[in-house]
């Protein structure tokens, strides 16, 4: 039993050392993805605004600039580790709006499934 406890303590110690590097990698990866997506949206503002028009988003051009800017700036802040928690508020709102507009069909599927076929 002592061997198992010893192995568990060793694993916990190693995991503790790896926590910061793993979180750094995740932060850099997600920040980079957000930055690239925001840059793409801002690089094709007319196309993105047209897409938002099709989704019936109010003020599509303004919304396109806001969404792209939020993703770009939020991604940069996340990668730099600056104001991450504060930047998470507009980024979360941005993604919530994206899920409820562009991903609306998928959200409706989740809430309108027949639970009898799951079992």
């Amino acid at each position: 039993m002592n061997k198992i406890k010893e192995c568990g303590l060793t694993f916990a110690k190693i995991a503790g050392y790896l926590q910061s590097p793993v979180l750094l990698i995740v932060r850099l990866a997600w920040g980079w993805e957000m930055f690239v997506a925001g840059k793409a949206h801002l690089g094709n503002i007319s196309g993105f605004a047209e897409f938002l028009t099709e989704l019936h988003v109010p003020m599509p051009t303004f919304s396109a600039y806001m969404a792209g800017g939020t993703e770009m700036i939020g991604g940069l802040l996340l990668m730099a580790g600056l104001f991450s928690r504060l930047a998470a508020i507009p980024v979360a709102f941005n993604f919530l709006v994206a899920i409820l507009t562009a991903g609306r069909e998928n959200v409706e599927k989740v809430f309108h499934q027949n639970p009898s076929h799951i079992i």
Side-chain angles (χ1 to χ4, degrees):
M1 194 64 139
N2 278 340
K3 285 279 190 189
I4 294 173
K5 187 175 182 180
E6 195 175 308
C7 286
L9 291 173
T10 303
F11 176 77
K13 188 175 183 179
I14 293 170
Y17 289 130
L18 293 176
Q19 182 179 5
S20 291
V22 168
L23 290 176
L24 174 65
I25 291 168
V26 169
R27 198 177 77 226
L28 290 173
W30 283 353
W32 179 252
E33 287 297 320
M34 286 179 11
F35 174 77
V36 169
K39 187 175 176 185
H41 290 151
L42 292 176
N44 183 14
I45 204 72
S46 61
F48 187 43
E50 186 178 316
F51 174 68
L52 294 178
T53 302
E54 293 171 8
L55 296 174
H56 306 290
V57 172
M59 299 184 296
T61 303
F62 175 76
S63 296
Y65 278 111
M66 286 299 295
T70 299
E71 289 177 8
M72 241 179 103
I73 293 169
L76 287 173
L77 290 173
L78 185 60
M79 284 189 294
L82 297 172
F83 308 109
S84 299
R85 293 177 181 166
L86 186 61
I89 296 168
V91 168
F93 180 76
N94 184 48
F95 288 139
L96 179 65
V97 170
I99 289 168
L100 294 176
T101 55
R104 183 179 209 117
E105 291 176 8
N106 293 330
V107 172
E108 288 175 354
K109 285 179 189 176
V110 168
F111 290 107
H112 293 99
Q113 285 185 353
N114 183 358
S116 63
H117 78 279
I118 295 174
I119 300 172

